[in-house]
Amino acid sequence: MPRLIKAAFAAALSGAIVLTVTAADAVSSSQTGTQTSAQSFTGESSPWTAQTVGSWGNIPTASVNITVPSGTTRFVNARFTAESLCAGDASAWCSVRIVVTNSAGTTTELQPVTSTDYKFDSPGGAEEAHALERFSAPLGAGTYTVRVQALRITGITQFTLDDYAFAVGLVEP
Protein backbone atom coordinates (compact mmCIF):
# COMPACT_ATOMS: atom_id res chain seq x y z
CA MET A 1 0.00 0.00 0.00
CA PRO A 2 1.32 3.44 -0.76
CA ARG A 3 2.34 5.42 2.35
CA LEU A 4 -0.43 8.05 1.85
CA ILE A 5 -3.17 5.41 1.77
CA LYS A 6 -1.77 3.72 4.90
CA ALA A 7 -1.72 7.07 6.72
CA ALA A 8 -5.31 7.85 5.67
CA PHE A 9 -6.46 4.36 6.74
CA ALA A 10 -4.72 4.72 10.13
CA ALA A 11 -6.28 8.17 10.66
CA ALA A 12 -9.74 6.89 9.76
CA LEU A 13 -9.35 3.88 12.07
CA SER A 14 -8.18 6.02 14.99
CA GLY A 15 -11.15 8.36 14.43
CA ALA A 16 -13.52 5.38 14.50
CA ILE A 17 -12.00 4.20 17.76
CA VAL A 18 -12.41 7.65 19.31
CA LEU A 19 -16.03 7.81 18.19
CA THR A 20 -16.69 4.32 19.53
CA VAL A 21 -15.29 5.20 22.96
CA THR A 22 -17.27 8.44 23.06
CA ALA A 23 -20.50 6.74 22.00
CA ALA A 24 -20.04 4.03 24.65
CA ASP A 25 -20.54 6.67 27.36
CA ALA A 26 -23.87 7.81 25.90
CA VAL A 27 -27.27 6.53 27.01
CA SER A 28 -29.52 6.14 24.01
CA SER A 29 -33.29 6.04 23.75
CA SER A 30 -35.55 5.98 20.73
CA GLN A 31 -39.14 5.60 19.50
CA THR A 32 -40.53 4.93 16.06
CA GLY A 33 -43.97 5.96 14.86
CA THR A 34 -46.03 5.79 11.71
CA GLN A 35 -47.95 9.06 11.77
CA THR A 36 -48.94 11.97 13.92
CA SER A 37 -52.59 11.63 14.92
CA ALA A 38 -52.96 15.02 16.63
CA GLN A 39 -50.95 18.21 17.05
CA SER A 40 -51.34 21.01 19.58
CA PHE A 41 -49.59 24.36 19.63
CA THR A 42 -49.33 27.16 22.15
CA GLY A 43 -47.18 30.24 22.45
CA GLU A 44 -46.56 33.42 24.40
CA SER A 45 -45.08 36.77 23.44
CA SER A 46 -44.84 38.19 26.98
CA PRO A 47 -41.68 37.49 28.99
CA TRP A 48 -41.75 35.11 31.96
CA THR A 49 -39.04 34.96 34.65
CA ALA A 50 -38.36 31.92 36.85
CA GLN A 51 -38.82 33.06 40.45
CA THR A 52 -37.28 30.23 42.49
CA VAL A 53 -33.82 28.66 42.62
CA GLY A 54 -33.41 24.90 42.80
CA SER A 55 -36.97 23.79 42.03
CA TRP A 56 -38.80 23.22 38.76
CA GLY A 57 -41.49 25.76 37.87
CA ASN A 58 -44.22 25.44 35.26
CA ILE A 59 -43.87 27.91 32.41
CA PRO A 60 -47.24 29.68 31.98
CA THR A 61 -49.15 28.76 28.81
CA ALA A 62 -46.51 26.13 27.88
CA SER A 63 -48.98 23.37 28.68
CA VAL A 64 -51.13 21.17 26.43
CA ASN A 65 -53.82 18.63 27.37
CA ILE A 66 -53.90 15.47 25.24
CA THR A 67 -56.05 12.36 25.06
CA VAL A 68 -54.89 8.93 23.95
CA PRO A 69 -57.94 7.13 22.52
CA SER A 70 -59.31 4.01 24.22
CA GLY A 71 -57.69 0.77 23.06
CA THR A 72 -54.60 2.53 21.64
CA THR A 73 -51.17 3.76 22.62
CA ARG A 74 -49.38 6.89 21.49
CA PHE A 75 -46.14 8.58 22.22
CA VAL A 76 -45.61 12.29 22.52
CA ASN A 77 -43.19 14.33 20.42
CA ALA A 78 -42.81 17.79 22.01
CA ARG A 79 -40.75 20.81 20.98
CA PHE A 80 -40.15 24.05 22.91
CA THR A 81 -38.43 27.13 21.48
CA ALA A 82 -37.81 30.42 23.26
CA GLU A 83 -35.76 33.55 23.42
CA SER A 84 -33.76 33.11 26.63
CA LEU A 85 -31.77 35.30 28.99
CA CYS A 86 -29.71 33.53 31.66
CA ALA A 87 -27.62 35.65 34.04
CA GLY A 88 -25.44 34.84 37.03
CA ASP A 89 -22.40 32.77 37.97
CA ALA A 90 -20.45 31.61 34.91
CA SER A 91 -20.29 28.04 36.25
CA ALA A 92 -24.11 27.76 36.59
CA TRP A 93 -26.81 27.35 33.93
CA CYS A 94 -30.53 27.61 33.22
CA SER A 95 -32.40 24.39 32.55
CA VAL A 96 -35.73 23.38 31.00
CA ARG A 97 -37.46 20.03 30.67
CA ILE A 98 -40.69 18.69 29.20
CA VAL A 99 -42.86 16.43 31.35
CA VAL A 100 -46.09 14.49 30.97
CA THR A 101 -48.56 14.10 33.87
CA ASN A 102 -51.26 11.44 33.83
CA SER A 103 -54.75 11.75 35.34
CA ALA A 104 -53.49 10.19 38.61
CA GLY A 105 -50.96 13.04 38.96
CA THR A 106 -47.81 11.04 38.17
CA THR A 107 -45.26 13.23 36.38
CA THR A 108 -42.61 11.74 34.07
CA GLU A 109 -39.82 13.60 32.28
CA LEU A 110 -39.77 13.00 28.54
CA GLN A 111 -36.79 11.25 26.93
CA PRO A 112 -33.91 11.55 26.94
CA VAL A 113 -34.21 12.08 30.69
CA THR A 114 -31.48 14.48 31.81
CA SER A 115 -32.95 16.08 34.95
CA THR A 116 -30.96 19.24 35.73
CA ASP A 117 -28.09 18.32 33.39
CA TYR A 118 -29.72 19.83 30.27
CA LYS A 119 -28.22 23.29 29.84
CA PHE A 120 -30.86 25.25 27.93
CA ASP A 121 -28.84 28.45 28.37
CA SER A 122 -25.81 29.69 30.27
CA PRO A 123 -24.84 33.14 31.56
CA GLY A 124 -23.27 35.65 29.22
CA GLY A 125 -24.55 37.67 26.33
CA ALA A 126 -27.92 39.03 25.38
CA GLU A 127 -31.20 37.22 24.77
CA GLU A 128 -30.86 34.51 22.16
CA ALA A 129 -32.96 31.72 20.66
CA HIS A 130 -32.81 28.20 22.13
CA ALA A 131 -34.76 24.97 21.57
CA LEU A 132 -35.53 21.61 23.17
CA GLU A 133 -37.24 18.55 21.64
CA ARG A 134 -38.23 15.44 23.61
CA PHE A 135 -40.38 12.29 23.23
CA SER A 136 -42.19 9.95 25.58
CA ALA A 137 -42.36 6.22 26.03
CA PRO A 138 -45.67 4.82 24.68
CA LEU A 139 -48.62 6.15 26.67
CA GLY A 140 -51.75 4.07 27.27
CA ALA A 141 -55.30 5.30 26.82
CA GLY A 142 -56.19 8.27 28.99
CA THR A 143 -55.80 12.00 29.47
CA TYR A 144 -52.46 13.70 30.05
CA THR A 145 -50.98 17.15 30.45
CA VAL A 146 -47.70 17.86 28.67
CA ARG A 147 -45.87 20.91 30.00
CA VAL A 148 -42.56 22.71 29.99
CA GLN A 149 -40.78 23.44 33.26
CA ALA A 150 -37.83 25.74 33.99
CA LEU A 151 -35.15 25.67 36.67
CA ARG A 152 -32.62 28.20 37.92
CA ILE A 153 -29.54 26.34 39.13
CA THR A 154 -27.85 27.79 42.25
CA GLY A 155 -25.82 30.82 41.15
CA ILE A 156 -28.33 32.03 38.54
CA THR A 157 -29.75 35.48 39.29
CA GLN A 158 -32.14 35.72 36.31
CA PHE A 159 -33.75 33.25 33.90
CA THR A 160 -36.24 34.90 31.55
CA LEU A 161 -38.03 33.28 28.61
CA ASP A 162 -39.77 35.33 25.94
CA ASP A 163 -41.52 34.77 22.61
CA TYR A 164 -41.84 31.06 23.23
CA ALA A 165 -43.67 28.34 21.31
CA PHE A 166 -44.64 24.84 22.41
CA ALA A 167 -45.70 22.15 19.93
CA VAL A 168 -46.95 18.70 20.95
CA GLY A 169 -47.72 15.84 18.58
CA LEU A 170 -49.32 12.47 19.37
CA VAL A 171 -47.64 9.78 17.29
CA GLU A 172 -49.00 6.31 16.57
CA PRO A 173 -46.41 3.60 17.31
Side-chain angles (χ1 to χ4, degrees):
M1 250 190 214
R3 184 176 296 176
L4 182 59
I5 292 174
K6 286 182 187 178
F9 178 73
L13 182 58
S14 67
I17 291 169
V18 169
L19 289 176
T20 302
V21 171
T22 303
D25 294 334
V27 177
S28 65
S29 55
S30 65
Q31 296 293 342
T32 303
T34 57
Q35 66 183 15
T36 302
S37 59
Q39 291 186 354
S40 301
F41 305 93
T42 185
E44 181 65 62
S45 60
S46 298
W48 173 80
T49 300
Q51 298 299 312
T52 60
V53 174
S55 62
W56 292 102
N58 295 332
I59 299 172
T61 71
S63 177
V64 171
N65 294 319
I66 59 168
T67 300
V68 176
S70 179
T72 68
T73 61
R74 299 286 188 271
F75 68 89
V76 170
N77 180 43
R79 182 176 50 259
F80 176 74
T81 61
E83 186 176 80
S84 175
L85 177 64
C86 182
D89 187 315
S91 65
W93 62 91
C94 298
S95 191
V96 296
R97 69 179 184 175
I98 302 174
V99 298
V100 61
T101 305
N102 65 18
S103 57
T106 303
T107 298
T108 304
E109 184 176 348
L110 295 172
Q111 300 173 18
V113 174
T114 58
S115 186
T116 61
D117 188 51
Y118 183 77
K119 296 168 179 71
F120 188 75
D121 198 358
S122 55
E127 292 177 322
E128 53 206 8
H130 294 271
L132 168 73
E133 186 163 6
R134 294 291 190 258
F135 59 91
S136 72
L139 301 174
T143 58
Y144 300 85
T145 300
V146 183
R147 67 173 45 98
V148 184
Q149 296 180 324
L151 173 71
R152 284 173 43 200
I153 300 294
T154 300
I156 294 300
T157 57
Q158 180 183 2
F159 184 20
T160 300
L161 298 168
D162 193 12
D163 302 328
Y164 53 86
F166 184 42
V168 176
L170 275 180
V171 181
E172 296 179 16

